[in-house]
Amino acid sequence: MMNAECGMRNTKSQVQDIGGKVHNVKWNLKILHFAPCTLHFSVFILLFLLMCGTANGRTTGIWLQAGMDRFANGKFESTSLTSEGKIVLGPQVTKELTTPEPFLWALVFDSDGNMWSGSGTKAILYRVDKQKKEKVSFMPGTSITALVTDKKQYIYAASFPPATIYRYDRNGEGELFAELPSKYIWDMVIDSKGVIYAAGGYPAGIFKINPDKKVEQIFSPADTHVLSLALDDSGSLYAGSSPNGIIYRIAQDGKVSVFNDLDEEEPYRIVWLDNRLVVAANRYQPAPPLPGPKPGQGAPREEPQSFPANQPAPPGQPAPSALYELRPSGAKKLIFMSPDPYILSLLAIDNNSLYVGTGNDGHLYKVEINEERTTLTQLPVSQILAITQYEGNFYIASGSPGEVFSMNKNVVKEGSFESTVNDIGTVGVWGNLWAEMDAPQGTSIKFQTRTGNTPTPDSVWSEWSSEFEQLPHKIDSPPGRYIQYRFRLGTEKPDVTPTVKEINVAYLTANQPPEIADVKITPQPTQRIPPQPTVPQQPGAPPMPPQPPMPPMPPQPPEKNIIVGTIQSAGAVTIRWKVTEPDNDPVVFNIYFRRL
């Protein structure tokens, strides 16, 4: 005999999923509770059905883009991005020289206004006068890495291998000026007396070359390369070595001291700026697996990792490069960190600001130190290898391809920005696009959108929509899973630019049903087995060994949008379940039991 009691219990509670969102949950619980009886057996729940559903409403999603980090991965054409997250028209950029060479590593102007640039892979010296006439000189070696000019109308070009310096007059006629006992020359500076200092590598060395061609090695650091040089106002020389990342100071009396020891391996460029040394430092990047000798076999890498800059991209997220301010007092301050793996060029604009050229995405940063402000401009090249200034304009030598650009302070008349592709997870329809922006009189901002169902825009995506200016605007691109926008900035004034600071795109996805991910019952329902007759143990028989415990279940991998619930029945049976809800909608659970 047994007595049965049937009841319905309705409760409400809150459940927090693993994403941190709290769901209001209604429990509709129908429980069969059995009182104990005199018979020696128990009744267990053997089967139950869990059903779940959602309301018919759907949640509107918003794709928001704002800030430098989110905009930085978009495509800029004649536009710039500030550290405040503002997209503005970029400076006017003009192509001055196009070469068949992959790299132009060095760039300088002489006092007559002739532009000189040195290439990689073939060591070609290009001279371009004010009438845009070119003259080419071929040097021994494979790369021209540094160019300097003096007050006597000479240009000095460093190349390797071998580590040589050639001297050219203004007409492009050259002669061998010095040969150094290193394999590489990475940098050169010249003082007011015409004395040249050269940074050598493999082995590392700092060399002094007088106008009479006398070569003197003034320091040999215990390192592989000296990569960068700078002179301060008193005539003291600073040098950055690799791979130990040490900055040395060589006083005028020849005394050498360690100015700073960086965490990064390569102080690739340094400049003296208003009683402080600014250092562009690169880290060693994780190298992708390449065919050839395994680690520990074959010859070690001779060149610094930042040169050449066309090596395969490091796997995963590259280590960032950094810009430091080093004071004579020993104070060190991080003033800029770039997501690009290599800072390849550096130019002091004035006592407060610099241009920073990087690889391998053609990013040019203007860093204003005191204001802690940065402006990003993207050029149609991979590497920005050298930057110089002449008569108020700035000139940039690039890699991939090897070209020279000029840049002035006026903004372009028109530029555009194209966003990354956004994935809303499933096919949806589009609502409004609105923005935080500023379009002063005489300027304009025009938007377009396109959509598709593949991660990369292709021929099956929709065409770009018609341009629209009035916001908010109902997006008329067809339904899809992926969306992209772009806008075009225009101005009639060379010193006024429109500004875009934030973009919002609304969408509504089709309702997705929840799914039962896991159900567990503890203790597991079992059928009671009647007692069996005891078999007498034979004398001398060993006792039965105890059974080892079952190993624990492996942990389950994390899931998104998981709702977890638990119900206990009379303290005897616990039912636990997990349900995935792709739309994060509220969920109602109905649990039904039946006796077998």
Side-chain angles (χ1 to χ4, degrees):
M1 293 287 298
M2 83 174 89
N3 296 323
E5 178 182 344
C6 178
M8 178 73 74
R9 183 178 302 165
N10 296 325
T11 62
K12 293 183 178 180
S13 63
Q14 288 186 330
V15 173
Q16 185 177 27
D17 62 29
I18 62 171
K21 184 175 180 180
V22 175
H23 302 265
N24 292 314
V25 179
K26 180 181 179 182
W27 309 105
N28 298 315
L29 197 61
K30 186 175 181 180
I31 301 175
L32 294 177
H33 174 69
F34 299 97
C37 64
T38 56
L39 298 178
H40 294 285
F41 67 91
S42 302
V43 177
F44 293 87
I45 299 171
L46 295 182
L47 178 67
F48 73 92
L49 176 65
L50 184 150
M51 302 179 65
C52 54
T54 63
N56 292 328
R58 294 180 289 171
T59 303
T60 300
I62 304 294
W63 176 34
L64 182 149
Q65 280 206 301
M68 193 171 194
D69 291 343
R70 295 198 178 185
F71 283 134
N73 292 326
K75 183 179 179 181
F76 297 83
E77 289 189 4
S78 300
T79 51
S80 298
L81 175 62
T82 71
S83 53
E84 294 92 350
K86 297 178 181 179
I87 298 177
V88 297
L89 286 170
Q92 292 183 5
V93 177
T94 304
K95 190 178 295 185
E96 300 289 345
L97 175 65
T98 299
T99 76
E101 296 304 300
F103 305 107
L104 293 180
W105 284 106
L107 184 65
V108 73
F109 277 80
D110 61 33
S111 58
D112 294 337
N114 300 315
M115 182 178 72
W116 301 74
S117 185
S119 75
T121 71
K122 290 182 183 178
I124 301 174
L125 182 63
Y126 293 88
R127 173 186 175 272
V128 182
D129 63 19
K130 289 187 175 182
Q131 286 71 42
K132 308 296 183 182
K133 294 181 180 179
E134 296 180 22
K135 183 173 182 179
V136 174
S137 300
F138 292 89
M139 292 177 55
T142 59
S143 294
I144 298 174
T145 53
L147 293 169
V148 294
T149 182
D150 64 11
K151 296 180 180 179
K152 295 182 179 180
Q153 309 297 307
Y154 285 113
I155 295 91
Y156 300 86
S159 67
F160 70 80
T164 53
I165 300 174
Y166 277 73
R167 183 172 65 183
Y168 290 84
D169 62 21
R170 293 298 188 259
N171 296 319
E173 301 299 324
E175 63 173 345
L176 178 64
F177 182 70
E179 187 167 358
L180 308 183
S182 290
K183 185 174 181 179
Y184 303 96
I185 299 177
W186 297 117
D187 198 8
M188 288 193 305
V189 293
I190 188 168
D191 67 11
S192 59
K193 298 178 182 179
V195 176
I196 295 174
Y197 296 92
Y202 211 75
I206 301 174
F207 303 92
K208 178 180 178 181
I209 306 101
N210 292 309
D212 61 2
K213 301 184 181 182
K214 180 182 177 182
V215 177
E216 177 187 358
Q217 185 165 348
I218 60 176
F219 181 55
S220 301
D223 221 326
T224 307
H225 301 280
V226 177
L227 297 178
S228 50
L229 297 173
L231 286 165
D232 68 11
D233 300 330
S234 67
S236 295
L237 181 68
Y238 297 83
S241 71
S242 169
N244 291 328
I246 297 176
I247 307 295
Y248 295 96
R249 180 180 183 272
I250 300 98
Q252 285 188 303
D253 59 4
K255 182 180 179 181
V256 180
S257 59
V258 173
F259 191 66
N260 202 282
D261 188 355
L262 302 175
D263 294 330
E264 290 83 0
E265 290 85 2
E266 294 186 355
Y268 198 67
R269 290 291 178 258
I270 59 177
V271 296
W272 185 257
L273 180 67
D274 190 27
N275 199 35
R276 55 192 167 184
L277 189 71
V278 178
V279 180
N282 300 331
R283 289 189 177 274
Y284 275 0
Q285 303 293 333
L290 297 173
K294 296 181 179 180
Q297 299 178 358
R301 177 185 174 93
E302 292 183 4
E303 300 88 355
Q305 196 178 84
S306 302
F307 183 98
N310 65 333
Q311 58 183 315
Q317 186 70 23
S321 49
L323 210 63
Y324 293 102
E325 172 189 282
L326 305 180
R327 295 282 185 176
S329 63
K332 174 183 174 183
K333 179 183 177 182
L334 175 67
I335 58 177
F336 173 65
M337 181 167 286
S338 168
D340 305 273
Y342 306 108
I343 294 178
L344 302 174
S345 53
L346 200 59
L347 174 71
I349 303 171
D350 50 39
N351 287 336
N352 175 54
S353 55
L354 310 102
Y355 272 126
V356 180
T358 70
N360 292 319
D361 292 318
H363 289 166
L364 177 68
Y365 297 90
K366 183 180 181 182
V367 179
E368 298 171 83
I369 300 174
N370 295 341
E371 293 81 4
E372 297 183 349
R373 183 168 57 215
T374 305
T375 303
L376 166 64
T377 300
Q378 185 172 4
L379 298 183
V381 298
S382 294
Q383 298 92 20
I384 296 177
L385 302 176
I387 313 170
T388 192
Q389 186 175 10
Y390 181 73
E391 291 187 346
N393 289 336
F394 298 94
Y395 294 81
I396 299 161
S398 68
S400 303
E403 296 177 332
V404 176
F405 300 86
S406 65
M407 184 174 67
N408 61 37
K409 297 179 180 179
N410 294 331
V411 298
V412 295
K413 293 182 178 180
E414 186 175 278
S416 66
F417 172 78
E418 185 176 299
S419 75
T420 55
V421 174
N422 185 52
D423 179 9
I424 64 173
T426 185
V427 175
V429 294
W430 312 107
N432 287 339
L433 183 150
W434 68 99
E436 182 180 342
M437 60 184 189
D438 181 28
Q441 187 175 3
T443 67
S444 62
I445 306 174
K446 299 179 181 180
F447 295 86
Q448 291 177 289
T449 61
R450 64 176 175 179
T451 57
N453 289 303
T454 55
T456 303
D458 52 23
S459 60
V460 299
W461 270 53
S462 70
E463 298 293 331
W464 286 106
S465 68
S466 300
E467 290 186 333
F468 53 89
E469 294 185 72
Q470 297 298 321
L471 300 182
H473 175 84
K474 175 65 173 65
I475 297 172
D476 55 6
S477 295
R481 174 172 173 174
Y482 302 92
I483 188 168
Q484 192 179 27
Y485 69 83
R486 71 180 179 188
F487 55 80
R488 185 160 52 92
L489 306 178
T491 185
E492 299 173 357
K493 304 175 182 179
D495 57 347
V496 179
T497 175
T499 300
V500 175
K501 191 173 183 180
E502 180 180 305
I503 299 290
N504 295 270
V505 175
Y507 59 89
L508 190 65
T509 59
N511 192 39
Q512 302 178 82
E515 180 181 350
I516 300 171
D518 188 31
V519 176
K520 290 182 180 179
I521 305 174
T522 54
Q524 292 291 337
T526 57
Q527 184 176 358
R528 185 178 178 88
I529 301 175
Q532 299 296 323
T534 302
V535 179
Q537 185 175 344
Q538 298 296 326
M544 295 295 292
Q547 295 297 318
M550 294 294 292
M553 296 293 292
Q556 296 295 320
E559 299 181 64
K560 295 182 178 179
N561 302 336
I562 290 179
I563 304 169
V564 181
T566 301
I567 287 181
Q568 288 186 332
S569 173
V573 175
T574 300
I575 306 170
R576 293 184 174 89
W577 64 91
K578 289 192 298 185
V579 173
T580 59
E581 214 313 304
D583 298 328
N584 281 323
D585 290 334
V587 179
V588 176
F589 297 90
N590 298 298
I591 296 94
Y592 297 89
F593 298 83
R594 75 176 181 181
R595 186 182 68 166
L596 181 62

